[in-house]
């Protein structure tokens, strides 16, 4: 039996989110909040990254910002219309704004961020990512591998609370 286009898309989303989760695990190794991201063009990962705020002592070194910068460098353009950005945690307002500025075609995130999410949790998705008054709108999909994306964050913050 052949897979439908939706089933194939979901399989691809899961595969790329697993790559983002591996980046989140890499963040753990360097004592960063475990958020990982990958940028995909076509079906190829063109950039990978994770949070580096502590390592760089840079408040904007979120996983998404790192990956957007690397993807632009890889493609040789800041216009990333055909790029899908996979991230384990719902983007914040800064990262959502950067996605609009970079013309990211699609954002896929794993788990919602009830404290800073700008794709529906705290800030409505229509405020930034899909604001019809801005010059670009980003397609958004959520809940891909939500449980493992949430668990890695819960484990990290649970350990912090024990210290």
């Amino acid at each position: 039996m052949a897979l439908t286009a939706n089933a194939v898309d979901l399989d691809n989303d899961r595969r790329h989110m697993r790559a983002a989760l591996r980046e989140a695990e890499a963040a753990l190794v360097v004592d960063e909040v475990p958020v990982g991201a990958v940028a995909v063009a076509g079906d190829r990962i063109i950039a990978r990254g994770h949070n580096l705020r502590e390592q760089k002592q840079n408040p904007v070194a979120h996983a998404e910002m790192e990956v957007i910068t690397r993807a632009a460098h890889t493609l040789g353009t800041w216009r990333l219309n055909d790029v899908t950005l996979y991230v384990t945690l719902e983007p914040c307002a800064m990262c959502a704004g950067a996605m609009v500025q970079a013309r990211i075609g699609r954002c896929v995130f794993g788990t919602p961020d009830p404290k800073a999410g700008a794709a529906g949790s705290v800030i409505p998705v229509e405020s930034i990512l899909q604001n019809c008054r801005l010059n670009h709108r980003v397609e958004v999909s959520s809940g891909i591998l939500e449980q493992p994306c949430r668990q890695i964050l819960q484990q990290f913050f649970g350990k912090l609370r024990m210290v």
Side-chain angles (χ1 to χ4, degrees):
M1 180 169 100
L3 292 173
T4 65
N6 289 340
V8 171
D9 292 345
L10 186 56
D11 285 345
N12 283 334
D13 284 349
R14 288 180 182 139
R15 180 167 48 94
H16 295 307
M17 189 60 75
R18 280 192 288 277
L21 272 164
R22 285 190 293 277
E23 287 299 319
E25 291 165 356
L28 280 175
V29 173
V30 293
D31 294 324
E32 294 281 353
V33 174
V35 177
V38 297
V40 175
D43 197 33
R44 184 174 69 97
I45 294 174
I46 59 167
R48 301 170 183 270
H50 52 268
N51 276 356
L52 291 172
R53 288 171 54 173
E54 298 299 330
Q55 295 290 305
K56 291 185 172 184
Q57 287 300 297
N58 181 345
V60 300
H62 289 199
E64 300 96 321
M65 303 295 277
E66 296 291 315
V67 168
I68 288 169
T69 300
R70 291 174 186 161
H73 178 72
T74 297
L75 295 177
T77 182
W78 61 268
R79 293 174 185 88
L80 305 177
N81 300 73
D82 296 326
V83 170
T84 298
L85 195 146
Y86 292 83
V87 60
T88 57
L89 181 65
E90 180 181 0
C92 69
M94 174 185 66
C95 293
M99 287 181 208
V100 170
Q101 290 299 313
R103 313 295 195 267
I104 293 288
R106 181 171 176 238
C107 172
V108 179
F109 69 88
T111 192
D113 184 350
K115 293 185 178 184
S121 291
V122 175
I123 299 170
V125 71
E126 299 84 9
S127 293
I128 301 174
L129 290 168
Q130 295 181 346
N131 188 319
C132 63
R133 294 172 58 189
L134 297 176
N135 63 340
H136 180 77
R137 279 161 293 294
V138 178
E139 180 185 337
V140 177
S141 300
S142 63
I144 303 298
L145 300 182
E146 182 174 347
Q147 193 62 27
C149 291
R150 180 185 303 119
Q151 284 176 331
I152 194 169
L153 287 160
Q154 288 174 335
Q155 289 169 355
F156 175 80
F157 287 111
K159 286 180 185 176
L160 277 183
R161 285 185 209 102
M162 295 172 110
V163 175

